[in-house]
Every structure is written in structure tokens, then in C-alpha cells.
Amino acid sequence: MTSVQSSEGTIPVLGQKLFYREAWPGGGQNSRLSVLLLHGIRFSSETWLKLGTLDTLAQAGYRAVGIDLPGLGQSKEASAPTSIGEPAPSSFLQAVLEALEMGPTALVSPSLSGMYSLPFLIAPSSQLRGYVPVAPICTDKISASDYGRVKTPTLIMYGDQDPMGESSLKDLQQLPNHKVMVMAGAGHPCYLDKPDDWHSGLLDFLNGLS
């Protein structure tokens, strides 16, 4: 099994400090790709630490980074660039990627974090290698023409017990290059309900990108 190194700290983002955690392959191995993990309103980067997602990705050869979004987790003192539920400027995630020097990146975006990920996904400057939305909010704030222009490979994941998964799918399926993975018996935080399915589905998708 690949050894894993990890760290945590803060990064400056648009004049504020955000907390992050990361894990990457040990032994001097180069990472195959960076993966940035966002989170929902009741969660933080600690979710990905406790669930083992950071280590699972690092063991598979990826650099995995979880940030605490503004006003949440250990980034409580940072203020969100827009009100909750409104799309944030794409410059926010661009600044995060630059501060972390992430290079080629896949983005995992559950629930609340859709307000950050979707504007970034459709931005002309976005160079995302992959996108994994998990019942994100704000899908209805993006136009059909904007969805239609996105070339990023996308894996839409949600639990079959989650009405938000179904409603967000109606919008997200307008992305031209998408697959769907529905997790049986899982609710809104489907990754917590079915962690093995979550990790295997996520890795299958990422392995297909790199």
C-alpha cells in the first residue's frame, strides 16, 4: 500500500484566510492529479478526513485537498463572497487553486458548495480536468447554453433517497460529457451512508481521467 503524507494549515484567498487539509502519496511519488474536495453546510474538510477520502485518494496516487468554505469549519472568520444560495464569483475557486498551487485538478462538490463550483465550472478560464457534483445547490441558476458549453468530464453522484439529487440531475444532465451514479439506500450525504460505494465510484472516475 502506498504511504501517505498529510498536512493542514491556512491559505490566503482574496484577502481572507481559509483552512485546508491535504494528503498526497509518500515516498517521493508524483501525484497523478490534484483533487479539491468542497463540502456541504453541515460539514467541513474534517468530513473527508474522518471518512478516509483524503487518505484513500492519496493511496491511489492523487493529491487530495479539502478546504473549509468561508464561514464554516475552521474558516469561520472568513466571510462568503456572496449570500448563501447565490452563485459566487468564479474568481473565488480560481484563487483557491492558485493559493494551493494545485495544477491540473478535479473538483468534488456536494450540496451547498454548488454555489462555488458551478460558476467556476462554466467560467471560460476554467481548466478543470473533472467534476463530481453531489446534489449541489444552484443548478437552476445556470443557463442551458452555459451547461452546453462545458467540456469537462462529469460524474453526477447522489443517493436514491435524496430528492435534491433528482432535482439537481434535471439541470446537470445538460452537461454534454456526463455519467450518473445513483447510490442505492443513500440520502443527501450519500458518501457518509455508503462510503465504500463512494470511494470506488470516485476512484473509477478519477482513474479514467488520468
Side-chain angles (χ1 to χ4, degrees), residues 54-132:
L54 296 178
D55 280 359
T56 297
L57 292 176
Q59 284 164 359
Y62 298 97
R63 179 188 175 198
V65 182
I67 65 164
D68 287 6
L69 291 167
L72 301 169
Q74 294 189 53
S75 299
K76 273 197 168 57
E77 292 183 14
S79 54
T82 185
S83 55
I84 296 292
E86 289 302 315
S90 62
S91 55
F92 174 81
L93 278 185
Q94 186 64 46
V96 170
L97 294 181
E98 289 170 4
L100 288 162
E101 299 180 348
M102 293 199 66
T105 300
L107 181 62
V108 176
S109 176
S111 197
L112 169 90
S113 68
M115 63 184 277
Y116 296 99
S117 67
L118 286 162
F120 184 65
L121 176 72
I122 65 169
S125 60
S126 174
Q127 299 287 313
L128 281 178
R129 290 291 181 86
Y131 181 52
V132 185

Side-chain angles (χ1 to χ4, degrees), residues 135-167:
I137 67 169
C138 289
T139 58
D140 58 339
K141 308 278 175 78
I142 307 298
S143 71
S145 60
D146 280 338
Y147 277 124
R149 280 195 291 269
V150 174
K151 295 184 171 62
T152 307
T154 298
L155 175 64
I156 301 165
M157 298 177 78
Y158 65 94
D160 68 354
Q161 307 299 306
D162 179 19
M164 277 186 70
E166 288 288 344
S167 59

